[in-house]
Amino acid sequence: MWALSNIAAGSDTHVRTLIDFGCISEAIKILVSDSAAEVRKEALWVVCNATEGKATAHMRSLVSAGAIEALAGTLDIKNPPTWLCVALEGMSNILAAGAGPPIRGKRGAATAANRWLGKLEACGGLERVEALQKHADVGVYERALLLLATFFDVSDV
């Protein structure tokens, strides 16, 4: 897994190769499994690295493979803060890629429909992110708050 996480941090071509050979799907399966914590941690890095500044086509493949649900499942307050920060960053990257073109709202403000917010809400991920606002680690708290402020109407959260 460690080697795969390094490859996933590479170019779009590297990530496409990992997707095409099923490596990302396997990492997602491991992330949601009851494998050893160290193995799941490396799988988390594979998934997160694959989301870093990558093409929207790659993001669609990650979402289809279950990345949103897997990352949301990692957002358990009992997990180490490093895991939580990595999962929140990966989730933010995916949601950023899911934003549609800006559309004008009733008051003229530009908003963008996000095709993947519903998936996050449906798998209980939104509630997990909200719970992390109470986390003792400042980094976790700040990343959770940023994700909520960026992708959700915080008056609704």
Side-chain angles (χ1 to χ4, degrees):
M1 280 292 131
W2 178 81
L4 292 178
S5 71
N6 285 336
I7 295 168
S11 69
D12 283 345
T13 303
H14 292 133
V15 173
R16 174 49 50 199
T17 301
L18 291 176
I19 291 168
D20 290 347
F21 281 95
C23 298
I24 300 291
S25 293
E26 286 304 312
I28 289 169
K29 288 177 190 172
I30 290 169
L31 185 55
V32 299
S33 74
D34 60 354
S35 295
E38 192 64 27
V39 176
R40 285 185 291 117
K41 177 184 84 171
E42 292 303 329
L44 173 62
W45 277 105
V46 171
V47 175
C48 184
N49 285 346
T51 69
E52 229 15 81
K54 302 302 187 240
T56 303
H58 296 346
M59 294 296 195
R60 281 193 298 271
S61 296
L62 291 168
V63 170
S64 294
I68 289 176
E69 296 84 355
L71 290 172
T74 305
L75 298 177
D76 185 328
I77 203 155
K78 297 175 205 157
N79 278 332
T82 304
W83 288 35
L84 298 172
C85 289
V86 170
L88 286 165
E89 181 161 337
M91 186 67 69
S92 291
N93 293 339
I94 290 171
L95 294 177
I103 54 176
R104 294 281 168 199
K106 291 180 184 173
R107 298 177 189 243
T111 60
N114 192 308
R115 61 185 140 206
W116 296 322
L117 290 179
K119 278 183 143 329
L120 179 62
E121 291 181 61
C123 71
L126 177 57
E127 291 81 16
R128 288 175 178 253
V129 174
E130 289 172 333
L132 293 177
Q133 292 180 96
K134 298 176 182 141
H135 200 280
D137 185 271
V138 174
V140 172
Y141 160 78
E142 288 175 346
R143 281 180 176 81
L145 188 62
L146 181 61
L147 187 147
L148 292 169
T150 303
F151 300 107
F152 294 92
D153 180 358
V154 289
S155 64
D156 292 342
V157 179

